[in-house]
Amino acid sequence: MTVSETCERSGQVVEAYRHCERVVREEARNFSYGIRLMPVPKRRAMSAIYAFARGIDDIGDGPDPACVRLDLLDRSRRRLATVQDVLRRRAEAEALEGHPVLTALADAAGRYPIPLDAFAELIDGCEDDVRGADYKTFDDLLRYCQRVAGTVGRLSLGVFGGEGRQRAEGLADSLGVALQLTNILRDLREDRVAGRIYIPTEDLERFGCTLNLDDSGQFVDPPWRLNELVGFQAERARAWYAEGLRLLPLLDRRSAACTAAMAGIYRRLLENIAARPSQALSTRVSLPTWQKAVVAARALSGVER
């Protein structure tokens, strides 16, 4: 490669990272507070991971027919293979076709030991979603959570580094499960309107709930039963946070701050849902911007642990 070609390629990589960082700012309103606490090179790598994962997730949740979404997910799988081929030097960088997310991800994975195979598990989880998988037991749901959220934790560890990689991966998985359980409660009504139910059937039966909706899109189950169901799910998520946050001492200061900020925002979201289940069941609960900023500041100072 000539000097001019090297400079051109460098410019493409910088712009690719800028694109990924824009995706994070615009689409990851919670995760961005943690990612911005990282040093610039790691922040860029984390943005590339998030942007690729977000693209996969958007396909799974998209409005297209199932057959179209499955084709698009298969294309994501092929694009992942292309990135891996470029890194193995079996293909030239041109194989990325100027795609900014792929370009950034390939560069990030060349700099950090990011386990790209984990993205394949994320795609598997989204395919389950598209095919309308149901979850009869919590173990069924757990496998889904590990695929769609635990994988992102393992991918992030490739950028974070840290001690005891095998132990850290298990704890990152647990934290990912906690975040996903929080997402499920936050999006309970939105998902139900879209025809998706993530609460395990065994839990619905235990609390005598159906999650059926009336003509106005409101749950028909007695409020007190729904409140008990939400409380039970929230308590389960708290246990996964307690386990997953044991990851923090294994990370360096900035990586721990990033993780603590993300987890802290979601934990507060969980507590808001648990405190006011009826509100969470009628609308999408979120934290105000100032509160997210406070959590991030506390995480960087080491208080949010």
Side-chain angles (χ1 to χ4, degrees):
M1 184 177 288
T2 66
V3 173
S4 61
E5 288 172 332
T6 301
C7 291
E8 180 182 358
R9 173 66 181 158
S10 176
Q12 289 174 350
V13 171
V14 169
E15 185 52 41
Y17 277 127
R18 286 175 179 161
H19 170 83
C20 293
E21 289 179 309
R22 283 195 295 272
V23 171
V24 171
R25 286 196 304 271
E26 295 169 7
E27 305 292 341
R29 295 194 180 100
N30 290 331
F31 281 99
S32 64
Y33 284 88
I35 291 175
R36 71 180 60 172
L37 301 180
M38 301 290 289
V40 172
K42 290 189 174 185
R43 184 177 72 226
R44 289 174 173 169
M46 289 289 291
S47 296
I49 289 172
Y50 176 84
F52 190 69
R54 179 68 189 223
I56 295 168
D57 190 58
D58 284 347
I59 293 170
D61 289 339
D64 294 316
C67 60
V68 174
R69 284 182 285 158
L70 289 173
D71 284 344
L72 291 172
L73 288 170
D74 187 59
R75 183 172 70 177
S76 294
R77 204 182 292 276
R78 294 195 303 272
R79 284 177 165 173
L80 175 62
T82 298
V83 171
Q84 292 172 310
D85 284 345
V86 167
L87 290 168
R88 295 182 189 120
R89 302 184 183 279
R90 289 208 304 263
E92 297 297 327
E94 285 73 16
L96 302 176
E97 300 177 349
H99 193 295
V101 176
L102 301 185
T103 299
L105 184 61
D107 187 77
R111 296 171 184 271
Y112 300 100
I114 298 171
L116 293 177
D117 285 342
F119 279 117
E121 295 180 55
L122 174 58
I123 295 171
D124 290 340
C126 287
E127 285 178 342
D128 287 345
D129 253 349
V130 173
R131 292 190 175 101
D134 58 356
Y135 308 97
K136 292 181 171 48
T137 68
F138 179 68
D139 283 344
D140 295 333
L141 180 63
L142 177 59
R143 283 190 289 274
Y144 169 77
C145 292
Q146 289 170 331
R147 280 179 166 179
V148 300
T151 52
V152 177
R154 282 176 265 140
L155 287 159
S156 301
L157 280 178
V159 178
F160 291 160
E163 303 173 10
R165 182 61 182 266
Q166 186 173 359
R167 179 166 179 260
E169 286 184 353
L171 295 174
D173 239 21
S174 295
L175 189 54
V177 170
L179 298 177
Q180 190 62 25
L181 292 176
T182 304
N183 276 337
I184 287 170
L185 286 177
R186 180 194 64 186
D187 301 337
L188 192 61
R189 181 175 173 276
E190 183 179 316
D191 285 331
R192 186 64 188 89
V193 169
R196 296 189 295 265
I197 297 177
Y198 294 99
I199 303 296
T201 302
E202 64 181 7
D203 294 345
L204 294 177
E205 292 175 349
R206 175 177 179 175
F207 292 94
C209 294
T210 63
L211 296 188
N212 290 335
L213 303 175
D214 61 21
D215 292 339
S216 66
Q218 299 301 314
F219 291 107
V220 300
D221 295 309
W224 65 269
R225 287 185 179 175
L226 288 171
N227 290 351
E228 288 185 349
L229 176 67
V230 170
F232 177 78
Q233 303 300 324
E235 189 59 36
R236 173 180 278 159
R238 290 187 188 105
W240 285 95
Y241 278 114
E243 173 69 11
L245 287 170
R246 293 167 58 199
L247 171 66
L248 297 183
L250 303 181
L251 304 176
D252 64 65
R253 177 174 172 269
R254 287 291 192 94
S255 298
C258 172
T259 305
M262 293 177 185
I265 288 170
Y266 272 81
R267 277 201 300 172
R268 277 164 176 72
L269 181 61
L270 176 69
E271 294 308 323
N272 285 353
I273 292 170
R276 293 179 291 278
S278 58
Q279 180 182 351
L281 291 166
S282 60
T283 188
R284 200 172 197 257
V285 177
S286 62
L287 295 186
T289 300
W290 69 265
Q291 194 168 356
K292 296 177 184 178
V294 168
V295 173
R298 286 167 57 89
L300 189 58
S301 68
V303 175
E304 190 73 27
R305 298 293 174 89

